[in-house]
Amino acid sequence: MSEPREDNRDSEDATPLVFLRNLIPLTPSVKEFFEQKLGEITAARFCTFKTCPGCQTYVERADENNLCVHCTVCTAKKGSSYEFCWNCRRKWKGRAQIAVRCGYSDCNQIYPTMEKSNDRKRLAMIINNVNFKVSQFHRSGAEKDEESMGTLLEALGYDVITLNDLSAEGMEAAVRDFSQRNEHRYSDSTFFVIMSHGGHDGIYGINYDGNESDIFPVDKIFHYLNSENCPGLTDKPKIILIQACRGDTVSIRNTGYGSVFIQSLVKVFIEHCHVDDIVELFRKVTLYFEEAVKKTNFPYQMPSLDRTTLAKKFYLFPGL
C-alpha cells in the first residue's frame, strides 16, 4: 500500500476542458469550441432547448406545460414580441398565453423533424442518366437538373449521393444499397431522385436502344425503401422524385436550363418550403408547371402524384 501523494493541480482541473488542456495545447479557437460544446451539454442536463424558427438561436422552454415560447432575439430584431410553438415550431398562432396547443389545427399531425447536430445524418440520392449507349438518346441539359437538385437538397441539410449513367441493373443495386445505409437510423426523412428516359414499364437504363430492354421497374424503388427492407426509415417521410417520360407524352427538357419539372420544383421549394408542407409544395409545383408549359409551344402535360402514404404533414424546416 503506497502513501497518498499530494495533488498539486488547481481545483478547476477537475473539469474535462482543463484536463484536456493539461494533456495537449489548445489553440484559442479549439478552446472556444470545447467551451461551447461543454456549455451546451451542461445546460441540457438542467434545461430543455430548441432552435427558434425565426433566428435559429437556442431558446429555453421555461414552462413545460406551455407550448407558447418567447424568443428574445427575434423580439429585439423585429421590434415586436415574437413567439413560436414548441411542438410544431411555427410562428405562434393564437393568443400569446399559457397554452397546451397553438392555433394550428394540425399541430399534432406533423412528422417530427430533427434539429441540426452531429447526430443527425440526413441522406439523399440522385441518379441521373445522361449519356446513353445510343447517342440519339443522350439527355442534354440533364446536368442542369442534377446541379439544381443537388444544391437544393444540400441546402435542406441532406448529404447527397449522386450517381450517373447506370443500367437498369445498376439502378436496382444503387437503390438497394441506399436502403441499407446506416445513416437512415439517425435521419428524419430522405429524398430519392431518379432522372432518365422512361416509359409505361419503368425507367430506362443507359443501354436502352429503343427496344424493350434495360428497364428498371418503378415498383422496385418502393420495394427497397419499404419498412421491411429499409427499417431505418420506418415511419419517416420518403420523397421519391422521378423525372422521366412515363406514358405517351414526352417530358419537357431544355438543353440549356434543364427540365420544366425539376426547375419548377426547385424554384417552388426555394420560395415556399419554409412555410408549406410537402403536399402543398407539390400542388404549387403543379400550378407553376402548368403556367410554364402554357408559355411554350410544347404539348400540354402535367406532373403526377402517384403514391401518397404520408399520414401526417411533412415540413422541411430549412432553418433547422
mmCIF file of all heavy atoms in Angstrom, residues 176-221:
data_model
loop_
_atom_site.group_PDB
_atom_site.id
_atom_site.type_symbol
_atom_site.label_atom_id
_atom_site.label_comp_id
_atom_site.label_asym_id
_atom_site.label_seq_id
_atom_site.Cartn_x
_atom_site.Cartn_y
_atom_site.Cartn_z
ATOM 1 N N ARG A 176 -30.953 -0.429 -53.726
ATOM 2 C CA ARG A 176 -30.844 -1.475 -52.702
ATOM 3 C C ARG A 176 -29.768 -1.103 -51.685
ATOM 4 O O ARG A 176 -29.986 -1.208 -50.470
ATOM 5 C CB ARG A 176 -30.515 -2.811 -53.357
ATOM 6 C CG ARG A 176 -30.410 -3.966 -52.345
ATOM 7 C CD ARG A 176 -30.087 -5.279 -53.036
ATOM 8 N NE ARG A 176 -28.816 -5.236 -53.748
ATOM 9 C CZ ARG A 176 -28.676 -5.391 -55.057
ATOM 10 N NH1 ARG A 176 -29.748 -5.599 -55.818
ATOM 11 N NH2 ARG A 176 -27.492 -5.326 -55.632
ATOM 12 N N ASP A 177 -28.611 -0.661 -52.164
ATOM 13 C CA ASP A 177 -27.535 -0.266 -51.258
ATOM 14 C C ASP A 177 -27.927 0.968 -50.440
ATOM 15 O O ASP A 177 -27.604 1.069 -49.254
ATOM 16 C CB ASP A 177 -26.254 0.011 -52.048
ATOM 17 C CG ASP A 177 -25.682 -1.241 -52.682
ATOM 18 O OD1 ASP A 177 -26.077 -2.356 -52.278
ATOM 19 O OD2 ASP A 177 -24.840 -1.112 -53.592
ATOM 20 N N PHE A 178 -28.618 1.896 -51.090
ATOM 21 C CA PHE A 178 -29.052 3.110 -50.398
ATOM 22 C C PHE A 178 -29.999 2.770 -49.254
ATOM 23 O O PHE A 178 -29.938 3.372 -48.175
ATOM 24 C CB PHE A 178 -29.741 4.038 -51.400
ATOM 25 C CG PHE A 178 -30.207 5.342 -50.817
ATOM 26 C CD1 PHE A 178 -29.309 6.337 -50.471
ATOM 27 C CD2 PHE A 178 -31.568 5.584 -50.638
ATOM 28 C CE1 PHE A 178 -29.750 7.549 -49.940
ATOM 29 C CE2 PHE A 178 -32.012 6.782 -50.112
ATOM 30 C CZ PHE A 178 -31.101 7.771 -49.768
ATOM 31 N N SER A 179 -30.868 1.800 -49.467
ATOM 32 C CA SER A 179 -31.844 1.420 -48.439
ATOM 33 C C SER A 179 -31.174 0.841 -47.199
ATOM 34 O O SER A 179 -31.765 0.865 -46.110
ATOM 35 C CB SER A 179 -32.844 0.407 -49.009
ATOM 36 O OG SER A 179 -32.225 -0.859 -49.232
ATOM 37 N N GLN A 180 -29.960 0.340 -47.346
ATOM 38 C CA GLN A 180 -29.267 -0.296 -46.233
ATOM 39 C C GLN A 180 -28.297 0.645 -45.513
ATOM 40 O O GLN A 180 -27.631 0.230 -44.566
ATOM 41 C CB GLN A 180 -28.486 -1.517 -46.740
ATOM 42 C CG GLN A 180 -29.365 -2.601 -47.352
ATOM 43 C CD GLN A 180 -30.397 -3.116 -46.371
ATOM 44 O OE1 GLN A 180 -30.064 -3.494 -45.245
ATOM 45 N NE2 GLN A 180 -31.660 -3.120 -46.778
ATOM 46 N N ARG A 181 -28.213 1.886 -45.946
ATOM 47 C CA ARG A 181 -27.279 2.827 -45.323
ATOM 48 C C ARG A 181 -27.631 3.061 -43.861
ATOM 49 O O ARG A 181 -28.788 3.298 -43.499
ATOM 50 C CB ARG A 181 -27.281 4.147 -46.082
ATOM 51 C CG ARG A 181 -26.728 4.064 -47.498
ATOM 52 C CD ARG A 181 -25.226 3.819 -47.479
ATOM 53 N NE ARG A 181 -24.490 4.929 -46.934
ATOM 54 C CZ ARG A 181 -23.746 5.756 -47.665
ATOM 55 N NH1 ARG A 181 -23.666 5.587 -48.987
ATOM 56 N NH2 ARG A 181 -23.082 6.741 -47.102
ATOM 57 N N ASN A 182 -26.625 3.023 -43.018
ATOM 58 C CA ASN A 182 -26.832 3.167 -41.582
ATOM 59 C C ASN A 182 -27.280 4.572 -41.194
ATOM 60 O O ASN A 182 -27.917 4.768 -40.151
ATOM 61 C CB ASN A 182 -25.531 2.826 -40.850
ATOM 62 C CG ASN A 182 -25.716 2.705 -39.352
ATOM 63 O OD1 ASN A 182 -26.540 1.931 -38.878
ATOM 64 N ND2 ASN A 182 -24.961 3.484 -38.597
ATOM 65 N N GLU A 183 -26.979 5.556 -42.050
ATOM 66 C CA GLU A 183 -27.343 6.931 -41.732
ATOM 67 C C GLU A 183 -28.846 7.117 -41.542
ATOM 68 O O GLU A 183 -29.278 8.017 -40.805
ATOM 69 C CB GLU A 183 -26.872 7.882 -42.837
ATOM 70 C CG GLU A 183 -25.367 8.049 -42.910
ATOM 71 C CD GLU A 183 -24.728 7.095 -43.894
ATOM 72 O OE1 GLU A 183 -25.294 5.990 -44.091
ATOM 73 O OE2 GLU A 183 -23.682 7.427 -44.457
ATOM 74 N N HIS A 184 -29.647 6.289 -42.194
ATOM 75 C CA HIS A 184 -31.100 6.446 -42.098
ATOM 76 C C HIS A 184 -31.611 6.298 -40.668
ATOM 77 O O HIS A 184 -32.650 6.857 -40.312
ATOM 78 C CB HIS A 184 -31.799 5.418 -42.991
ATOM 79 C CG HIS A 184 -31.523 5.613 -44.459
ATOM 80 N ND1 HIS A 184 -31.535 6.850 -45.056
ATOM 81 C CD2 HIS A 184 -31.231 4.713 -45.439
ATOM 82 C CE1 HIS A 184 -31.263 6.713 -46.350
ATOM 83 N NE2 HIS A 184 -31.078 5.441 -46.601
ATOM 84 N N ARG A 185 -30.893 5.560 -39.861
ATOM 85 C CA ARG A 185 -31.297 5.392 -38.459
ATOM 86 C C ARG A 185 -31.263 6.719 -37.717
ATOM 87 O O ARG A 185 -31.995 6.926 -36.740
ATOM 88 C CB ARG A 185 -30.379 4.393 -37.755
ATOM 89 C CG ARG A 185 -30.447 2.974 -38.285
ATOM 90 C CD ARG A 185 -29.398 2.111 -37.603
ATOM 91 N NE ARG A 185 -29.508 2.170 -36.150
ATOM 92 C CZ ARG A 185 -28.537 1.814 -35.317
ATOM 93 N NH1 ARG A 185 -27.372 1.379 -35.790
ATOM 94 N NH2 ARG A 185 -28.719 1.887 -34.009
ATOM 95 N N TYR A 186 -30.399 7.627 -38.168
ATOM 96 C CA TYR A 186 -30.210 8.908 -37.486
ATOM 97 C C TYR A 186 -30.767 10.072 -38.308
ATOM 98 O O TYR A 186 -30.370 11.214 -38.128
ATOM 99 C CB TYR A 186 -28.719 9.125 -37.211
ATOM 100 C CG TYR A 186 -28.078 7.934 -36.542
ATOM 101 C CD1 TYR A 186 -27.343 7.002 -37.266
ATOM 102 C CD2 TYR A 186 -28.235 7.714 -35.170
ATOM 103 C CE1 TYR A 186 -26.772 5.891 -36.656
ATOM 104 C CE2 TYR A 186 -27.670 6.622 -34.543
ATOM 105 C CZ TYR A 186 -26.947 5.708 -35.293
ATOM 106 O OH TYR A 186 -26.378 4.614 -34.679
ATOM 107 N N SER A 187 -31.691 9.750 -39.208
ATOM 108 C CA SER A 187 -32.302 10.762 -40.058
ATOM 109 C C SER A 187 -33.794 10.865 -39.744
ATOM 110 O O SER A 187 -34.363 10.016 -39.052
ATOM 111 C CB SER A 187 -32.099 10.400 -41.535
ATOM 112 O OG SER A 187 -32.739 11.327 -42.385
ATOM 113 N N ASP A 188 -34.419 11.923 -40.241
ATOM 114 C CA ASP A 188 -35.860 12.076 -40.065
ATOM 115 C C ASP A 188 -36.616 11.934 -41.376
ATOM 116 O O ASP A 188 -37.856 11.952 -41.383
ATOM 117 C CB ASP A 188 -36.186 13.431 -39.417
ATOM 118 C CG ASP A 188 -35.542 14.592 -40.173
ATOM 119 O OD1 ASP A 188 -35.177 14.427 -41.356
ATOM 120 O OD2 ASP A 188 -35.398 15.679 -39.579
ATOM 121 N N SER A 189 -35.891 11.780 -42.510
ATOM 122 C CA SER A 189 -36.536 11.722 -43.818
ATOM 123 C C SER A 189 -35.485 11.448 -44.888
ATOM 124 O O SER A 189 -34.289 11.410 -44.592
ATOM 125 C CB SER A 189 -37.232 13.059 -44.133
ATOM 126 O OG SER A 189 -36.280 14.124 -44.061
ATOM 127 N N THR A 190 -35.934 11.288 -46.123
ATOM 128 C CA THR A 190 -34.986 11.115 -47.226
ATOM 129 C C THR A 190 -35.627 11.556 -48.538
ATOM 130 O O THR A 190 -36.858 11.635 -48.648
ATOM 131 C CB THR A 190 -34.532 9.646 -47.351
ATOM 132 O OG1 THR A 190 -33.424 9.576 -48.268
ATOM 133 C CG2 THR A 190 -35.655 8.767 -47.885
ATOM 134 N N PHE A 191 -34.771 11.871 -49.500
ATOM 135 C CA PHE A 191 -35.192 12.147 -50.878
ATOM 136 C C PHE A 191 -34.460 11.168 -51.791
ATOM 137 O O PHE A 191 -33.251 10.954 -51.647
ATOM 138 C CB PHE A 191 -34.830 13.573 -51.294
ATOM 139 C CG PHE A 191 -35.830 14.617 -50.894
ATOM 140 C CD1 PHE A 191 -35.899 15.049 -49.571
ATOM 141 C CD2 PHE A 191 -36.688 15.174 -51.822
ATOM 142 C CE1 PHE A 191 -36.812 16.020 -49.191
ATOM 143 C CE2 PHE A 191 -37.607 16.139 -51.454
ATOM 144 C CZ PHE A 191 -37.672 16.570 -50.135
ATOM 145 N N PHE A 192 -35.208 10.587 -52.722
ATOM 146 C CA PHE A 192 -34.617 9.710 -53.737
ATOM 147 C C PHE A 192 -35.057 10.247 -55.090
ATOM 148 O O PHE A 192 -36.248 10.260 -55.406
ATOM 149 C CB PHE A 192 -35.076 8.265 -53.554
ATOM 150 C CG PHE A 192 -34.397 7.305 -54.495
ATOM 151 C CD1 PHE A 192 -33.165 6.754 -54.179
ATOM 152 C CD2 PHE A 192 -34.986 6.959 -55.709
ATOM 153 C CE1 PHE A 192 -32.532 5.874 -55.048
ATOM 154 C CE2 PHE A 192 -34.368 6.092 -56.583
ATOM 155 C CZ PHE A 192 -33.132 5.548 -56.253
ATOM 156 N N VAL A 193 -34.100 10.731 -55.882
ATOM 157 C CA VAL A 193 -34.389 11.381 -57.161
ATOM 158 C C VAL A 193 -33.777 10.566 -58.287
ATOM 159 O O VAL A 193 -32.584 10.234 -58.255
ATOM 160 C CB VAL A 193 -33.814 12.811 -57.193
ATOM 161 C CG1 VAL A 193 -34.226 13.529 -58.481
ATOM 162 C CG2 VAL A 193 -34.259 13.603 -55.967
ATOM 163 N N ILE A 194 -34.583 10.239 -59.292
ATOM 164 C CA ILE A 194 -34.089 9.470 -60.431
ATOM 165 C C ILE A 194 -34.510 10.181 -61.716
ATOM 166 O O ILE A 194 -35.678 10.543 -61.883
ATOM 167 C CB ILE A 194 -34.590 8.007 -60.378
ATOM 168 C CG1 ILE A 194 -33.923 7.165 -61.445
ATOM 169 C CG2 ILE A 194 -36.100 7.930 -60.451
ATOM 170 C CD1 ILE A 194 -34.090 5.672 -61.228
ATOM 171 N N MET A 195 -33.546 10.414 -62.608
ATOM 172 C CA MET A 195 -33.786 11.167 -63.834
ATOM 173 C C MET A 195 -33.221 10.386 -65.022
ATOM 174 O O MET A 195 -32.037 10.046 -65.041
ATOM 175 C CB MET A 195 -33.136 12.551 -63.738
ATOM 176 C CG MET A 195 -33.669 13.391 -62.577
ATOM 177 S SD MET A 195 -32.924 15.037 -62.429
ATOM 178 C CE MET A 195 -31.309 14.620 -61.748
ATOM 179 N N SER A 196 -34.081 10.110 -65.995
ATOM 180 C CA SER A 196 -33.670 9.303 -67.141
ATOM 181 C C SER A 196 -34.783 9.334 -68.191
ATOM 182 O O SER A 196 -35.752 10.088 -68.070
ATOM 183 C CB SER A 196 -33.388 7.859 -66.704
ATOM 184 O OG SER A 196 -32.866 7.093 -67.770
ATOM 185 N N HIS A 197 -34.641 8.532 -69.233
ATOM 186 C CA HIS A 197 -35.761 8.260 -70.127
ATOM 187 C C HIS A 197 -36.635 7.203 -69.459
ATOM 188 O O HIS A 197 -36.191 6.490 -68.546
ATOM 189 C CB HIS A 197 -35.253 7.724 -71.473
ATOM 190 C CG HIS A 197 -34.558 8.749 -72.314
ATOM 191 N ND1 HIS A 197 -35.171 9.900 -72.744
ATOM 192 C CD2 HIS A 197 -33.289 8.790 -72.810
ATOM 193 C CE1 HIS A 197 -34.329 10.612 -73.465
ATOM 194 N NE2 HIS A 197 -33.175 9.970 -73.519
ATOM 195 N N GLY A 198 -37.867 7.096 -69.911
ATOM 196 C CA GLY A 198 -38.740 6.095 -69.326
ATOM 197 C C GLY A 198 -39.972 5.847 -70.161
ATOM 198 O O GLY A 198 -40.195 6.499 -71.195
ATOM 199 N N GLY A 199 -40.764 4.908 -69.724
ATOM 200 C CA GLY A 199 -41.991 4.551 -70.422
ATOM 201 C C GLY A 199 -42.973 3.919 -69.471
ATOM 202 O O GLY A 199 -42.828 3.995 -68.248
ATOM 203 N N HIS A 200 -43.985 3.231 -70.011
ATOM 204 C CA HIS A 200 -45.013 2.591 -69.181
ATOM 205 C C HIS A 200 -44.414 1.554 -68.229
ATOM 206 O O HIS A 200 -44.900 1.381 -67.112
ATOM 207 C CB HIS A 200 -46.060 1.909 -70.067
ATOM 208 C CG HIS A 200 -46.947 2.868 -70.790
ATOM 209 N ND1 HIS A 200 -47.892 3.638 -70.142
ATOM 210 C CD2 HIS A 200 -47.030 3.188 -72.108
ATOM 211 C CE1 HIS A 200 -48.531 4.392 -71.018
ATOM 212 N NE2 HIS A 200 -48.040 4.140 -72.224
ATOM 213 N N ASP A 201 -43.350 0.886 -68.679
ATOM 214 C CA ASP A 201 -42.825 -0.243 -67.905
ATOM 215 C C ASP A 201 -41.776 0.145 -66.876
ATOM 216 O O ASP A 201 -41.388 -0.684 -66.054
ATOM 217 C CB ASP A 201 -42.231 -1.297 -68.847
ATOM 218 C CG ASP A 201 -43.280 -1.909 -69.754
ATOM 219 O OD1 ASP A 201 -44.452 -1.982 -69.318
ATOM 220 O OD2 ASP A 201 -42.941 -2.310 -70.878
ATOM 221 N N GLY A 202 -41.281 1.391 -66.926
ATOM 222 C CA GLY A 202 -40.299 1.781 -65.941
ATOM 223 C C GLY A 202 -39.291 2.802 -66.450
ATOM 224 O O GLY A 202 -39.508 3.481 -67.455
ATOM 225 N N ILE A 203 -38.156 2.870 -65.763
ATOM 226 C CA ILE A 203 -37.094 3.829 -66.053
ATOM 227 C C ILE A 203 -36.028 3.153 -66.901
ATOM 228 O O ILE A 203 -35.592 2.044 -66.598
ATOM 229 C CB ILE A 203 -36.460 4.353 -64.752
ATOM 230 C CG1 ILE A 203 -37.547 4.801 -63.771
ATOM 231 C CG2 ILE A 203 -35.504 5.504 -65.051
ATOM 232 C CD1 ILE A 203 -38.450 5.878 -64.296
ATOM 233 N N TYR A 204 -35.580 3.831 -67.961
ATOM 234 C CA TYR A 204 -34.625 3.223 -68.880
ATOM 235 C C TYR A 204 -33.192 3.378 -68.384
ATOM 236 O O TYR A 204 -32.778 4.447 -67.939
ATOM 237 C CB TYR A 204 -34.734 3.847 -70.272
ATOM 238 C CG TYR A 204 -36.064 3.650 -70.947
ATOM 239 C CD1 TYR A 204 -36.418 4.414 -72.055
ATOM 240 C CD2 TYR A 204 -36.983 2.700 -70.481
ATOM 241 C CE1 TYR A 204 -37.642 4.237 -72.696
ATOM 242 C CE2 TYR A 204 -38.202 2.515 -71.106
ATOM 243 C CZ TYR A 204 -38.541 3.288 -72.200
ATOM 244 O OH TYR A 204 -39.755 3.106 -72.825
ATOM 245 N N GLY A 205 -32.439 2.275 -68.504
ATOM 246 C CA GLY A 205 -31.018 2.310 -68.231
ATOM 247 C C GLY A 205 -30.267 2.812 -69.460
ATOM 248 O O GLY A 205 -30.833 2.945 -70.545
ATOM 249 N N ILE A 206 -28.981 3.060 -69.315
ATOM 250 C CA ILE A 206 -28.208 3.670 -70.411
ATOM 251 C C ILE A 206 -28.004 2.723 -71.589
ATOM 252 O O ILE A 206 -27.582 3.162 -72.660
ATOM 253 C CB ILE A 206 -26.841 4.159 -69.908
ATOM 254 C CG1 ILE A 206 -26.038 2.997 -69.299
ATOM 255 C CG2 ILE A 206 -27.013 5.281 -68.899
ATOM 256 C CD1 ILE A 206 -24.598 3.354 -69.022
ATOM 257 N N ASN A 207 -28.306 1.445 -71.418
ATOM 258 C CA ASN A 207 -28.175 0.502 -72.529
ATOM 259 C C ASN A 207 -29.449 0.393 -73.360
ATOM 260 O O ASN A 207 -29.503 -0.396 -74.305
ATOM 261 C CB ASN A 207 -27.784 -0.888 -72.003
ATOM 262 C CG ASN A 207 -26.423 -0.883 -71.342
ATOM 263 O OD1 ASN A 207 -25.487 -0.247 -71.829
ATOM 264 N ND2 ASN A 207 -26.300 -1.584 -70.220
ATOM 265 N N TYR A 208 -30.452 1.175 -72.995
ATOM 266 C CA TYR A 208 -31.711 1.151 -73.750
ATOM 267 C C TYR A 208 -31.448 1.606 -75.191
ATOM 268 O O TYR A 208 -30.812 2.636 -75.429
ATOM 269 C CB TYR A 208 -32.721 2.074 -73.094
ATOM 270 C CG TYR A 208 -34.047 2.133 -73.812
ATOM 271 C CD1 TYR A 208 -34.978 1.107 -73.663
ATOM 272 C CD2 TYR A 208 -34.362 3.204 -74.650
ATOM 273 C CE1 TYR A 208 -36.200 1.158 -74.319
ATOM 274 C CE2 TYR A 208 -35.584 3.257 -75.307
ATOM 275 C CZ TYR A 208 -36.492 2.228 -75.143
ATOM 276 O OH TYR A 208 -37.690 2.272 -75.809
ATOM 277 N N ASP A 209 -31.958 0.832 -76.160
ATOM 278 C CA ASP A 209 -31.691 1.115 -77.569
ATOM 279 C C ASP A 209 -32.962 1.267 -78.397
ATOM 280 O O ASP A 209 -32.937 1.171 -79.627
ATOM 281 C CB ASP A 209 -30.810 0.022 -78.174
ATOM 282 C CG ASP A 209 -31.436 -1.362 -78.033
ATOM 283 O OD1 ASP A 209 -32.596 -1.439 -77.568
ATOM 284 O OD2 ASP A 209 -30.766 -2.351 -78.379
ATOM 285 N N GLY A 210 -34.083 1.478 -77.723
ATOM 286 C CA GLY A 210 -35.345 1.608 -78.437
ATOM 287 C C GLY A 210 -36.205 0.371 -78.331
ATOM 288 O O GLY A 210 -37.407 0.410 -78.603
ATOM 289 N N ASN A 211 -35.599 -0.738 -77.956
ATOM 290 C CA ASN A 211 -36.340 -1.977 -77.738
ATOM 291 C C ASN A 211 -36.691 -2.097 -76.258
ATOM 292 O O ASN A 211 -36.199 -1.348 -75.410
ATOM 293 C CB ASN A 211 -35.502 -3.186 -78.185
ATOM 294 C CG ASN A 211 -35.184 -3.126 -79.668
ATOM 295 O OD1 ASN A 211 -36.052 -2.836 -80.482
ATOM 296 N ND2 ASN A 211 -33.926 -3.390 -80.015
ATOM 297 N N GLU A 212 -37.534 -3.040 -75.933
ATOM 298 C CA GLU A 212 -37.947 -3.225 -74.544
ATOM 299 C C GLU A 212 -36.868 -3.985 -73.775
ATOM 300 O O GLU A 212 -36.989 -5.177 -73.487
ATOM 301 C CB GLU A 212 -39.284 -3.966 -74.488
ATOM 302 C CG GLU A 212 -40.428 -3.193 -75.121
ATOM 303 C CD GLU A 212 -40.660 -1.853 -74.441
ATOM 304 O OE1 GLU A 212 -40.643 -1.802 -73.201
ATOM 305 O OE2 GLU A 212 -40.837 -0.852 -75.160
ATOM 306 N N SER A 213 -35.792 -3.288 -73.488
ATOM 307 C CA SER A 213 -34.688 -3.906 -72.737
ATOM 308 C C SER A 213 -34.062 -2.862 -71.822
ATOM 309 O O SER A 213 -34.213 -1.652 -72.039
ATOM 310 C CB SER A 213 -33.635 -4.457 -73.708
ATOM 311 O OG SER A 213 -33.096 -3.401 -74.497
ATOM 312 N N ASP A 214 -33.358 -3.320 -70.820
ATOM 313 C CA ASP A 214 -32.683 -2.451 -69.849
ATOM 314 C C ASP A 214 -33.672 -1.459 -69.216
ATOM 315 O O ASP A 214 -33.472 -0.243 -69.273
ATOM 316 C CB ASP A 214 -31.515 -1.710 -70.497
ATOM 317 C CG ASP A 214 -30.493 -1.244 -69.451
ATOM 318 O OD1 ASP A 214 -30.401 -1.881 -68.393
ATOM 319 O OD2 ASP A 214 -29.802 -0.237 -69.715
ATOM 320 N N ILE A 215 -34.709 -2.001 -68.602
ATOM 321 C CA ILE A 215 -35.735 -1.180 -67.969
ATOM 322 C C ILE A 215 -35.814 -1.510 -66.478
ATOM 323 O O ILE A 215 -35.888 -2.677 -66.095
ATOM 324 C CB ILE A 215 -37.111 -1.403 -68.623
ATOM 325 C CG1 ILE A 215 -37.052 -1.024 -70.104
ATOM 326 C CG2 ILE A 215 -38.184 -0.597 -67.911
ATOM 327 C CD1 ILE A 215 -38.332 -1.284 -70.854
ATOM 328 N N PHE A 216 -35.805 -0.478 -65.661
ATOM 329 C CA PHE A 216 -35.872 -0.625 -64.210
ATOM 330 C C PHE A 216 -37.297 -0.305 -63.745
ATOM 331 O O PHE A 216 -37.750 0.836 -63.836
ATOM 332 C CB PHE A 216 -34.873 0.331 -63.551
ATOM 333 C CG PHE A 216 -34.947 0.374 -62.050
ATOM 334 C CD1 PHE A 216 -34.856 -0.792 -61.291
ATOM 335 C CD2 PHE A 216 -35.092 1.585 -61.389
ATOM 336 C CE1 PHE A 216 -34.908 -0.750 -59.915
ATOM 337 C CE2 PHE A 216 -35.149 1.641 -60.004
ATOM 338 C CZ PHE A 216 -35.052 0.473 -59.267
ATOM 339 N N PRO A 217 -38.046 -1.299 -63.258
ATOM 340 C CA PRO A 217 -39.425 -1.066 -62.812
ATOM 341 C C PRO A 217 -39.487 -0.113 -61.626
ATOM 342 O O PRO A 217 -38.731 -0.262 -60.662
ATOM 343 C CB PRO A 217 -39.903 -2.464 -62.416
ATOM 344 C CG PRO A 217 -39.003 -3.405 -63.147
ATOM 345 C CD PRO A 217 -37.664 -2.721 -63.186
ATOM 346 N N VAL A 218 -40.398 0.847 -61.688
ATOM 347 C CA VAL A 218 -40.542 1.837 -60.616
ATOM 348 C C VAL A 218 -40.922 1.166 -59.293
ATOM 349 O O VAL A 218 -40.519 1.607 -58.218
ATOM 350 C CB VAL A 218 -41.597 2.889 -61.008
ATOM 351 C CG1 VAL A 218 -41.889 3.832 -59.837
ATOM 352 C CG2 VAL A 218 -41.120 3.694 -62.216
ATOM 353 N N ASP A 219 -41.697 0.093 -59.360
ATOM 354 C CA ASP A 219 -42.127 -0.590 -58.137
ATOM 355 C C ASP A 219 -40.951 -1.058 -57.278
ATOM 356 O O ASP A 219 -41.099 -1.206 -56.057
ATOM 357 C CB ASP A 219 -43.008 -1.795 -58.476
ATOM 358 C CG ASP A 219 -44.419 -1.387 -58.860
ATOM 359 O OD1 ASP A 219 -44.795 -0.225 -58.582
ATOM 360 O OD2 ASP A 219 -45.145 -2.220 -59.432
ATOM 361 N N LYS A 220 -39.810 -1.286 -57.903
ATOM 362 C CA LYS A 220 -38.656 -1.749 -57.127
ATOM 363 C C LYS A 220 -38.117 -0.667 -56.196
ATOM 364 O O LYS A 220 -37.515 -0.972 -55.171
ATOM 365 C CB LYS A 220 -37.557 -2.249 -58.076
ATOM 366 C CG LYS A 220 -37.891 -3.578 -58.739
ATOM 367 C CD LYS A 220 -36.678 -4.186 -59.431
ATOM 368 C CE LYS A 220 -37.010 -5.572 -59.970
ATOM 369 N NZ LYS A 220 -35.849 -6.229 -60.608
ATOM 370 N N ILE A 221 -38.333 0.590 -56.555
ATOM 371 C CA ILE A 221 -37.927 1.675 -55.659
ATOM 372 C C ILE A 221 -38.726 1.585 -54.365
ATOM 373 O O ILE A 221 -38.167 1.633 -53.263
ATOM 374 C CB ILE A 221 -38.152 3.050 -56.320
ATOM 375 C CG1 ILE A 221 -37.367 3.168 -57.621
ATOM 376 C CG2 ILE A 221 -37.764 4.180 -55.356
ATOM 377 C CD1 ILE A 221 -37.629 4.461 -58.375
#
